Amino acid sequence: MTLTQLEYVVAVNKHRHFKKAATECNVTQPTLSMQLQKLEDELGVILFDRSKSPILPTAQGEKVIKQAQVVIKEYNRIFHILENSQGEVSGKFRLAVIPTLAPYIIPLFAKKFADKYPRVELVIEEFKTEEIIELLDKEEIDAAILVTPLQEPALIERVLFYEPFFLFTSPDQELYKKKKVRESDLSRNSLWLLNEGHCLRTQVLKVCTMNLEVSSYKNLRFESGSLETLKNLVVQSSGYTLLPYLATLDLSAPRKKMIREFYKPAPTREVSIVYGRTFLKERIIDALEETIVSVLPKDIRSLKDGDLSIVDLY
């Protein structure tokens, strides 16, 4: 049995497809299939049911896969320990960011981090919160930037900043006439929402204390996966949506006139960098945290607890 064979097993389980697994492992499909066959012969078990599409692990295969993941994690941990002991910020780092933060936070810190830490290979991807929790559990990513608290005991959360919400409303709404708004001012009939799976959707619904059946028109229901789409809907159609602070910074002058603050304490989301408790790349975590905090707008960095009303996910 070799470590390479175990990596092939984990890759096949991940993709449920031999060709895709071979591509990830940078080998030909016949090579991967041959090595898996050798491993099955040595163990005396069938790991995958090839008659299924997509292929599925057998009952015994699932047990082997689970242990193979542990073996690979512990093997990789040796290199992480050595990297930490050298005192240098270096190595590959996989970072996930939720879609409602990615377009606004990544441009703020990515270049500065890359320039300051040239020996770190930073890979950034977008995932929804539920996907991120699963990826962290499998150690397929190293850390994530998302909204907390998550109430996940296996994860460590370092708060980066607190981000208030603002109302973004079309001029035909009564809310547009107000200088500031209260949560109780919000009407269920004019709200544009993100679709299911976005934590911001849950937070907005909590702010508005309303059910999920909402739309700006009785005969139209649209739920977007993009805050930019929601902005355009408000501008081109009618209604309103709630935007986190960073999503308001690039608004044009006419669109800034459509922004309304909440009375204090304003509804706010907590943004953190999150990673597993067995994590060993803390030097990179420290560097990311320092870099992100250093580039944040002063309006966020100077927020006091008395100005906030944290809206969590639960």
Side-chain angles (χ1 to χ4, degrees), residues 1 9 50 94 170 206 261 275 277 282 291 308:
M1 185 189 305
V9 168
R50 277 97 162 154
R94 299 156 299 178
S170 59
K206 283 201 169 188
E261 292 184 38
Y275 54 100
R277 293 191 175 275
E282 289 202 82
T291 304
L308 310 177

Side-chain angles (χ1 to χ4, degrees), residues 166-170 173 175 183 186-194 200-217 220-224 230 233-234 238-243 262:
F166 289 84
L167 183 75
F168 186 64
T169 178
S170 59
Q173 297 291 310
L175 293 168
E183 295 172 27
L186 307 184
S187 165
R188 59 174 291 180
N189 296 319
S190 302
L191 175 65
W192 294 109
L193 280 175
L194 291 171
L200 185 58
R201 171 193 173 95
T202 305
Q203 292 171 311
V204 169
L205 287 170
K206 283 201 169 188
V207 171
C208 301
T209 60
M210 57 184 66
N211 62 45
L212 302 183
E213 300 296 329
V214 289
S215 173
S216 285
Y217 298 95
L220 172 61
R221 178 177 177 178
F222 177 80
E223 294 174 358
S224 173
L230 296 186
L233 276 168
V234 171
S238 180
Y240 69 89
T241 191
L242 267 62
L243 298 177
F262 281 90

Side-chain angles (χ1 to χ4, degrees), residues 126-188:
E126 285 188 29
F127 292 101
K128 294 180 182 179
T129 299
E130 290 183 0
E131 296 172 322
I132 286 175
I133 293 172
E134 184 177 348
L135 290 169
L136 285 170
D137 180 60
K138 294 178 179 178
E139 294 193 14
E140 292 182 13
I141 58 174
D142 295 308
I145 300 174
L146 44 78
V147 174
T148 54
L150 297 174
Q151 298 184 0
E152 293 285 340
L155 299 177
I156 296 173
E157 302 172 0
R158 290 195 197 181
V159 177
L160 296 172
F161 58 93
Y162 294 95
E163 185 178 24
F165 288 104
F166 289 84
L167 183 75
F168 186 64
T169 178
S170 59
D172 63 343
Q173 297 291 310
E174 285 297 316
L175 293 168
Y176 186 85
K177 301 175 183 178
K178 298 178 179 288
K179 292 183 178 180
K180 290 187 177 182
V181 296
R182 294 181 173 83
E183 295 172 27
S184 58
D185 293 331
L186 307 184
S187 165
R188 59 174 291 180

Side-chain angles (χ1 to χ4, degrees), residues 35-89:
Q35 289 298 322
L36 282 182
Q37 185 64 59
K38 282 186 177 181
L39 181 60
E40 289 178 325
D41 292 343
E42 180 181 346
L43 297 176
V45 299
I46 301 298
L47 299 176
F48 295 99
D49 183 349
R50 277 97 162 154
S51 67
K52 305 290 185 181
S53 182
I55 63 172
L56 296 173
T58 62
Q60 289 177 308
E62 287 182 348
K63 296 177 182 179
V64 173
I65 291 164
K66 187 174 182 179
Q67 189 59 36
Q69 291 170 333
V70 172
V71 171
I72 294 170
K73 288 177 185 177
E74 294 304 317
Y75 170 79
N76 289 329
R77 228 176 280 281
I78 295 173
F79 298 99
H80 300 333
I81 291 171
L82 292 175
E83 287 173 0
N84 272 357
S85 66
Q86 292 169 358
E88 184 179 24
V89 181

